[in-house]
Amino acid sequence: MRLDLLTQAAAEAIGANVPPRDPLPGRCWIIGDAPEGDWQGHAGEVAGWTEGGWRFVAPPEGMRLWLGQGAGHALFANGDWHAGEVHGRLVVEGKRVVGARAAAIPEPEGGTVVDAAARAAISAVLAALRTHGLIEGGGL
């Protein structure tokens, strides 16, 4: 059961603090910050119901649990559960399209004529989009 909780789990809910009254064997929950009853002392852990009662797993870094259609995955990272967020790389048709965040692009500055600065800013935006694979390479 613990192996299933670590590798194949689909959680019924995230942040629950009160154990359900009549859980079915094989179901699991991501426990919230203020657990009560049988879950007391297991904040942030994964609780799975078995024929023999509750089993608890402390989530390792990078653990993912399916929360259901429309909710996606919950990810345990940096000591906390994250739900409704996308973590990792975005790959479309075998090509990475979003990578690490690049440095900020400075705003154009200047007097009344900012044509050169505007062109530099536009070029920097285009270069960033190309670096992330969001547009094809090429010149202006």
Side-chain angles (χ1 to χ4, degrees), residues 63-132:
M63 182 178 190
R64 290 180 192 263
L65 277 79
W66 180 246
L67 296 175
Q69 192 68 18
H73 285 94
L75 170 69
F76 188 77
N78 300 316
D80 199 13
W81 285 101
H82 303 270
E85 301 173 2
V86 176
H87 294 261
R89 296 182 179 144
L90 177 59
V91 177
V92 175
E93 296 178 356
K95 292 184 180 181
R96 186 176 91 182
V97 295
V98 177
R101 182 175 288 185
I105 298 169
E107 295 290 329
E109 294 180 13
T112 57
V113 180
V114 294
D115 186 54
R119 286 181 186 269
I122 291 168
S123 294
V125 169
L126 292 172
L129 292 172
R130 288 184 188 110
T131 298
H132 288 290

Coordinates of all heavy atoms in Angstrom, one line a residue, residues 63-132:
M63 N 7.3 14.6 -5.3 CA 6.2 13.7 -5.4 C 5.0 14.4 -6.1 O 4.8 15.5 -5.8 CB 5.8 13.2 -4.0 CG 4.7 12.2 -4.0 SD 4.3 11.7 -2.3 CE 3.2 10.3 -2.6
R64 N 4.4 13.6 -7.0 CA 3.2 14.1 -7.7 C 2.0 13.2 -7.4 O 2.2 12.0 -7.5 CB 3.4 14.2 -9.2 CG 4.4 15.3 -9.6 CD 4.5 15.3 -11.1 NE 5.6 16.1 -11.5 CZ 5.5 17.3 -12.0 NH1 4.3 17.9 -12.0 NH2 6.6 18.0 -12.3
L65 N 0.8 13.8 -7.2 CA -0.4 13.0 -7.1 C -1.4 13.6 -8.0 O -1.6 14.8 -8.1 CB -0.9 13.0 -5.6 CG -0.3 12.0 -4.7 CD1 1.0 12.5 -4.2 CD2 -1.2 11.8 -3.5
W66 N -2.2 12.7 -8.6 CA -3.3 13.1 -9.5 C -4.5 13.6 -8.6 O -4.8 12.9 -7.7 CB -3.7 12.0 -10.4 CG -4.8 12.3 -11.4 CD1 -6.0 11.8 -11.4 CD2 -4.7 13.2 -12.5 NE1 -6.7 12.3 -12.4 CE2 -6.0 13.2 -13.1 CE3 -3.7 14.1 -13.0 CZ2 -6.3 14.0 -14.2 CZ3 -4.0 14.8 -14.1 CH2 -5.3 14.8 -14.7
L67 N -5.0 14.7 -9.0 CA -6.2 15.3 -8.2 C -7.5 15.1 -9.0 O -8.5 15.5 -8.5 CB -5.9 16.7 -7.8 CG -4.8 17.0 -6.9 CD1 -4.6 18.5 -6.7 CD2 -5.0 16.3 -5.5
G68 N -7.4 14.7 -10.2 CA -8.6 14.5 -11.0 C -8.7 15.4 -12.2 O -8.0 16.4 -12.3
Q69 N -9.6 15.1 -13.1 CA -9.8 15.8 -14.3 C -10.2 17.3 -13.9 O -11.0 17.5 -13.1 CB -11.0 15.2 -15.1 CG -11.1 15.7 -16.5 CD -10.0 15.3 -17.4 OE1 -9.2 14.4 -17.1 NE2 -9.8 16.1 -18.4
G70 N -9.5 18.2 -14.6 CA -9.8 19.6 -14.3 C -8.9 20.2 -13.2 O -8.7 21.4 -13.1
A71 N -8.4 19.3 -12.3 CA -7.5 19.8 -11.2 C -6.0 19.5 -11.5 O -5.2 20.2 -11.0 CB -7.9 19.2 -9.9
G72 N -5.8 18.5 -12.3 CA -4.4 18.2 -12.6 C -3.6 17.5 -11.5 O -4.2 16.8 -10.7
H73 N -2.3 17.8 -11.4 CA -1.5 17.2 -10.4 C -1.2 18.1 -9.2 O -1.2 19.3 -9.4 CB -0.1 16.8 -11.0 CG -0.2 15.6 -11.9 ND1 -0.4 15.6 -13.2 CD2 -0.1 14.2 -11.6 CE1 -0.4 14.4 -13.7 NE2 -0.2 13.5 -12.7
A74 N -0.9 17.5 -8.1 CA -0.3 18.3 -7.0 C 1.1 17.9 -6.9 O 1.5 16.7 -7.1 CB -1.0 17.9 -5.7
L75 N 2.0 18.8 -6.7 CA 3.4 18.6 -6.6 C 3.9 19.0 -5.3 O 3.6 20.1 -4.8 CB 4.2 19.4 -7.7 CG 5.7 19.4 -7.6 CD1 6.3 18.1 -8.0 CD2 6.3 20.5 -8.5
F76 N 4.7 18.1 -4.6 CA 5.4 18.4 -3.4 C 6.8 19.0 -3.7 O 7.6 18.3 -4.2 CB 5.5 17.2 -2.5 CG 5.9 17.6 -1.1 CD1 5.1 18.1 -0.2 CD2 7.2 17.3 -0.7 CE1 5.5 18.5 1.1 CE2 7.7 17.6 0.6 CZ 6.8 18.2 1.5
A77 N 7.0 20.3 -3.4 CA 8.3 20.9 -3.7 C 8.6 21.9 -2.6 O 7.7 22.7 -2.2 CB 8.2 21.6 -5.1
N78 N 9.8 22.0 -2.2 CA 10.3 22.9 -1.2 C 9.5 22.9 0.1 O 9.2 23.9 0.7 CB 10.3 24.3 -1.8 CG 11.2 24.5 -3.0 OD1 12.3 24.0 -3.0 ND2 10.7 25.2 -4.0
G79 N 9.1 21.6 0.4 CA 8.4 21.4 1.7 C 6.9 21.8 1.7 O 6.3 21.8 2.8
D80 N 6.3 21.9 0.5 CA 4.9 22.3 0.5 C 4.2 21.7 -0.7 O 4.9 21.4 -1.7 CB 4.7 23.8 0.5 CG 3.4 24.3 0.9 OD1 2.6 23.5 1.4 OD2 3.1 25.5 0.6
W81 N 2.9 21.5 -0.7 CA 2.2 21.0 -1.8 C 1.7 22.2 -2.7 O 1.3 23.2 -2.2 CB 0.9 20.2 -1.3 CG 1.2 18.9 -0.8 CD1 1.3 18.5 0.5 CD2 1.5 17.7 -1.5 NE1 1.7 17.2 0.6 CE2 1.8 16.7 -0.6 CE3 1.6 17.4 -2.9 CZ2 2.1 15.4 -1.0 CZ3 1.9 16.1 -3.3 CH2 2.1 15.1 -2.4
H82 N 1.8 22.0 -4.0 CA 1.4 23.0 -5.0 C 0.4 22.3 -5.9 O 0.7 21.3 -6.6 CB 2.6 23.5 -5.8 CG 3.7 24.1 -4.9 ND1 3.7 25.4 -4.6 CD2 4.8 23.5 -4.3 CE1 4.8 25.6 -3.8 NE2 5.4 24.5 -3.6
A83 N -0.8 22.9 -6.0 CA -1.8 22.4 -6.9 C -2.3 23.5 -7.8 O -2.2 24.7 -7.4 CB -3.0 21.9 -6.0
G84 N -2.7 23.1 -9.0 CA -3.2 24.1 -9.9 C -2.0 24.9 -10.6 O -2.3 25.9 -11.2
E85 N -0.8 24.4 -10.5 CA 0.3 25.0 -11.1 C 1.0 24.0 -12.0 O 0.9 22.8 -11.9 CB 1.4 25.4 -10.1 CG 0.8 26.4 -9.0 CD 1.8 26.6 -7.9 OE1 2.9 26.1 -7.9 OE2 1.5 27.4 -7.0
V86 N 1.7 24.5 -13.0 CA 2.4 23.6 -13.9 C 3.9 23.8 -13.6 O 4.4 25.0 -13.6 CB 2.1 24.0 -15.4 CG1 3.0 23.1 -16.3 CG2 0.7 23.8 -15.7
H87 N 4.6 22.7 -13.4 CA 6.0 22.8 -13.1 C 6.8 21.9 -14.1 O 6.3 20.9 -14.5 CB 6.3 22.2 -11.7 CG 5.7 23.0 -10.6 ND1 6.4 23.9 -9.9 CD2 4.4 23.1 -10.1 CE1 5.6 24.5 -9.0 NE2 4.4 24.1 -9.1
G88 N 7.9 22.4 -14.5 CA 8.7 21.7 -15.4 C 8.9 22.4 -16.8 O 8.8 23.6 -16.9
R89 N 9.2 21.6 -17.8 CA 9.4 22.1 -19.1 C 8.2 21.9 -20.0 O 7.5 20.9 -19.8 CB 10.6 21.4 -19.8 CG 11.9 21.7 -19.0 CD 13.0 21.0 -19.7 NE 14.3 21.3 -19.0 CZ 15.2 20.4 -18.9 NH1 15.1 19.2 -19.4 NH2 16.3 20.8 -18.2
L90 N 8.0 22.8 -20.9 CA 6.9 22.6 -21.9 C 7.5 22.3 -23.2 O 8.3 23.0 -23.8 CB 6.1 23.9 -22.0 CG 4.9 23.9 -23.0 CD1 3.9 22.8 -22.7 CD2 4.3 25.3 -23.1
V91 N 7.1 21.1 -23.7 CA 7.6 20.5 -24.9 C 6.5 20.3 -25.9 O 5.5 19.7 -25.5 CB 8.4 19.2 -24.7 CG1 8.9 18.6 -26.0 CG2 9.6 19.4 -23.7
V92 N 6.6 20.9 -27.1 CA 5.5 20.7 -28.1 C 6.2 20.1 -29.3 O 7.2 20.7 -29.8 CB 4.9 22.1 -28.4 CG1 3.9 21.9 -29.6 CG2 4.2 22.7 -27.2
E93 N 5.7 19.0 -29.8 CA 6.2 18.3 -30.9 C 7.7 18.1 -30.8 O 8.4 18.3 -31.8 CB 5.8 19.1 -32.2 CG 4.3 19.1 -32.5 CD 4.0 19.9 -33.7 OE1 4.9 20.5 -34.4 OE2 2.8 20.0 -34.0
G94 N 8.1 17.7 -29.6 CA 9.5 17.4 -29.4 C 10.5 18.5 -29.3 O 11.7 18.4 -29.1
K95 N 9.9 19.8 -29.3 CA 10.8 20.9 -29.1 C 10.4 21.7 -27.9 O 9.2 21.9 -27.6 CB 10.6 21.9 -30.3 CG 11.1 21.4 -31.6 CD 11.0 22.4 -32.7 CE 11.6 21.8 -34.0 NZ 11.5 22.8 -35.0
R96 N 11.4 22.0 -27.1 CA 11.1 22.8 -25.9 C 10.7 24.2 -26.3 O 11.4 24.9 -27.0 CB 12.4 22.9 -25.0 CG 12.1 23.6 -23.7 CD 13.3 23.6 -22.8 NE 14.0 24.8 -23.1 CZ 15.2 25.1 -22.5 NH1 15.7 24.3 -21.6 NH2 15.8 26.2 -22.8
V97 N 9.5 24.7 -25.8 CA 9.0 26.0 -26.2 C 9.1 27.0 -25.1 O 8.9 28.2 -25.3 CB 7.6 25.9 -26.8 CG1 7.6 25.1 -28.0 CG2 6.6 25.3 -25.8
V98 N 9.2 26.6 -23.8 CA 9.4 27.5 -22.7 C 10.5 27.0 -21.9 O 10.6 25.8 -21.5 CB 8.1 27.6 -21.9 CG1 8.3 28.5 -20.7 CG2 6.9 28.1 -22.7
G99 N 11.5 27.9 -21.6 CA 12.6 27.5 -20.8 C 12.7 28.4 -19.5 O 11.7 29.0 -19.1
A100 N 13.9 28.5 -19.0 CA 14.1 29.3 -17.8 C 13.8 30.8 -18.1 O 14.0 31.2 -19.2 CB 15.5 29.1 -17.3
R101 N 13.4 31.5 -17.1 CA 13.1 32.9 -17.3 C 14.4 33.7 -17.6 O 15.4 33.5 -16.9 CB 12.5 33.5 -16.0 CG 12.1 34.9 -16.2 CD 11.4 35.4 -15.0 NE 10.0 34.8 -15.0 CZ 9.1 35.1 -14.2 NH1 9.3 36.0 -13.2 NH2 7.9 34.6 -14.3
A102 N 14.4 34.5 -18.6 CA 15.5 35.3 -19.0 C 15.5 36.6 -18.2 O 14.5 37.0 -17.6 CB 15.5 35.6 -20.5
A103 N 16.6 37.3 -18.3 CA 16.7 38.7 -17.7 C 15.6 39.6 -18.3 O 15.2 39.4 -19.4 CB 18.1 39.2 -17.9
A104 N 15.2 40.6 -17.5 CA 14.3 41.6 -18.0 C 14.8 42.4 -19.2 O 16.0 42.6 -19.3 CB 13.9 42.5 -16.8
I105 N 13.9 42.8 -20.0 CA 14.2 43.6 -21.2 C 14.0 45.0 -20.8 O 12.9 45.4 -20.3 CB 13.4 43.2 -22.4 CG1 13.6 41.8 -22.8 CG2 13.6 44.2 -23.6 CD1 12.7 41.2 -23.8
P106 N 15.0 45.9 -20.9 CA 14.9 47.3 -20.5 C 13.9 48.0 -21.3 O 13.8 47.8 -22.5 CB 16.3 47.9 -20.6 CG 17.0 47.0 -21.5 CD 16.4 45.7 -21.4
E107 N 13.2 49.0 -20.7 CA 12.2 49.8 -21.5 C 13.0 50.8 -22.3 O 14.1 51.3 -21.9 CB 11.3 50.6 -20.5 CG 10.4 49.7 -19.7 CD 9.3 49.1 -20.5 OE1 8.9 49.8 -21.5 OE2 8.9 48.0 -20.2
P108 N 12.5 51.2 -23.4 CA 13.2 52.3 -24.2 C 13.3 53.6 -23.5 O 12.3 53.9 -22.7 CB 12.3 52.4 -25.5 CG 11.5 51.2 -25.5 CD 11.3 50.7 -24.1
E109 N 14.4 54.3 -23.5 CA 14.5 55.6 -22.9 C 15.1 56.6 -23.9 O 15.6 56.2 -24.9 CB 15.5 55.5 -21.7 CG 15.0 54.6 -20.6 CD 16.1 54.5 -19.4 OE1 17.0 55.3 -19.4 OE2 15.9 53.7 -18.6
G110 N 14.9 57.8 -23.6 CA 15.5 58.8 -24.5 C 14.6 60.0 -24.5 O 13.7 60.2 -23.8
G111 N 15.0 61.0 -25.4 CA 14.3 62.2 -25.5 C 13.0 62.0 -26.3 O 12.3 61.0 -26.2
T112 N 12.7 63.0 -27.2 CA 11.5 62.9 -27.9 C 11.6 61.9 -29.0 O 10.5 61.5 -29.6 CB 11.2 64.3 -28.5 OG1 12.3 64.7 -29.3 CG2 10.9 65.3 -27.4
V113 N 12.8 61.5 -29.5 CA 12.9 60.5 -30.5 C 13.5 59.2 -29.9 O 14.6 59.2 -29.4 CB 13.8 61.0 -31.6 CG1 14.0 60.0 -32.7 CG2 13.3 62.3 -32.2
V114 N 12.7 58.2 -29.9 CA 13.2 57.0 -29.2 C 13.2 55.8 -30.2 O 13.2 54.6 -29.9 CB 12.2 56.6 -28.0 CG1 12.3 57.6 -26.9 CG2 10.8 56.3 -28.5
D115 N 13.4 56.1 -31.5 CA 13.3 55.1 -32.5 C 14.4 54.1 -32.3 O 14.1 52.9 -32.4 CB 13.5 55.8 -33.9 CG 13.4 54.7 -35.0 OD1 12.3 54.1 -35.0 OD2 14.3 54.6 -35.8
A116 N 15.7 54.4 -32.0 CA 16.7 53.5 -31.9 C 16.5 52.6 -30.6 O 16.7 51.4 -30.6 CB 18.1 54.2 -31.8
A117 N 16.1 53.2 -29.5 CA 15.8 52.5 -28.3 C 14.6 51.6 -28.5 O 14.6 50.4 -28.0 CB 15.5 53.4 -27.1
A118 N 13.6 52.0 -29.2 CA 12.4 51.2 -29.5 C 12.8 50.0 -30.3 O 12.4 48.8 -30.1 CB 11.3 52.0 -30.2
R119 N 13.6 50.2 -31.3 CA 14.1 49.1 -32.2 C 14.9 48.1 -31.3 O 14.7 46.9 -31.5 CB 14.9 49.6 -33.3 CG 14.1 50.2 -34.4 CD 15.1 50.7 -35.5 NE 14.3 51.4 -36.5 CZ 13.8 50.9 -37.6 NH1 13.8 49.6 -37.8 NH2 13.1 51.6 -38.5
A120 N 15.7 48.6 -30.4 CA 16.5 47.7 -29.6 C 15.6 46.8 -28.7 O 15.8 45.6 -28.5 CB 17.5 48.5 -28.8
A121 N 14.6 47.5 -28.1 CA 13.6 46.8 -27.2 C 12.9 45.7 -28.0 O 12.7 44.6 -27.6 CB 12.7 47.7 -26.6
I122 N 12.4 46.1 -29.2 CA 11.7 45.1 -30.0 C 12.6 44.0 -30.4 O 12.2 42.8 -30.4 CB 11.1 45.8 -31.3 CG1 10.0 46.8 -30.9 CG2 10.6 44.8 -32.3 CD1 9.5 47.7 -32.0
S123 N 13.8 44.2 -30.8 CA 14.8 43.2 -31.1 C 15.0 42.3 -29.9 O 15.1 41.0 -30.1 CB 16.1 43.8 -31.6 OG 15.9 44.5 -32.8
A124 N 15.1 42.8 -28.7 CA 15.3 42.0 -27.5 C 14.1 41.1 -27.3 O 14.3 39.9 -26.9 CB 15.6 42.9 -26.3
V125 N 12.9 41.6 -27.5 CA 11.7 40.8 -27.3 C 11.7 39.7 -28.3 O 11.4 38.5 -27.9 CB 10.4 41.7 -27.4 CG1 9.2 40.8 -27.5 CG2 10.3 42.7 -26.2
L126 N 12.0 40.0 -29.5 CA 12.0 38.9 -30.6 C 13.1 37.9 -30.3 O 12.8 36.7 -30.4 CB 12.2 39.6 -32.0 CG 11.1 40.4 -32.5 CD1 11.5 41.1 -33.8 CD2 9.8 39.6 -32.7
A127 N 14.2 38.3 -29.8 CA 15.3 37.4 -29.5 C 14.9 36.5 -28.3 O 15.1 35.3 -28.4 CB 16.6 38.1 -29.1
A128 N 14.2 37.0 -27.3 CA 13.7 36.2 -26.2 C 12.7 35.2 -26.7 O 12.7 34.0 -26.3 CB 13.1 37.1 -25.1
L129 N 11.8 35.6 -27.5 CA 10.7 34.7 -28.1 C 11.4 33.6 -28.9 O 11.0 32.4 -28.8 CB 9.7 35.5 -28.9 CG 8.8 36.4 -28.2 CD1 8.0 37.3 -29.1 CD2 7.9 35.7 -27.2
R130 N 12.4 33.9 -29.6 CA 13.1 32.9 -30.4 C 13.9 31.9 -29.5 O 13.9 30.7 -29.7 CB 14.1 33.6 -31.4 CG 13.4 34.2 -32.5 CD 14.4 34.8 -33.6 NE 13.7 35.6 -34.5 CZ 13.7 36.9 -34.6 NH1 14.5 37.6 -33.8 NH2 13.0 37.5 -35.5
T131 N 14.5 32.5 -28.5 CA 15.3 31.7 -27.5 C 14.4 30.6 -26.9 O 14.7 29.5 -26.6 CB 15.9 32.5 -26.4 OG1 16.9 33.4 -27.1 CG2 16.6 31.7 -25.4
H132 N 13.1 31.0 -26.5 CA 12.2 30.2 -25.9 C 11.4 29.3 -26.9 O 10.6 28.5 -26.6 CB 11.1 30.9 -25.1 CG 11.7 31.5 -23.8 ND1 12.1 30.7 -22.8 CD2 12.0 32.8 -23.5 CE1 12.6 31.5 -21.8 NE2 12.5 32.7 -22.2

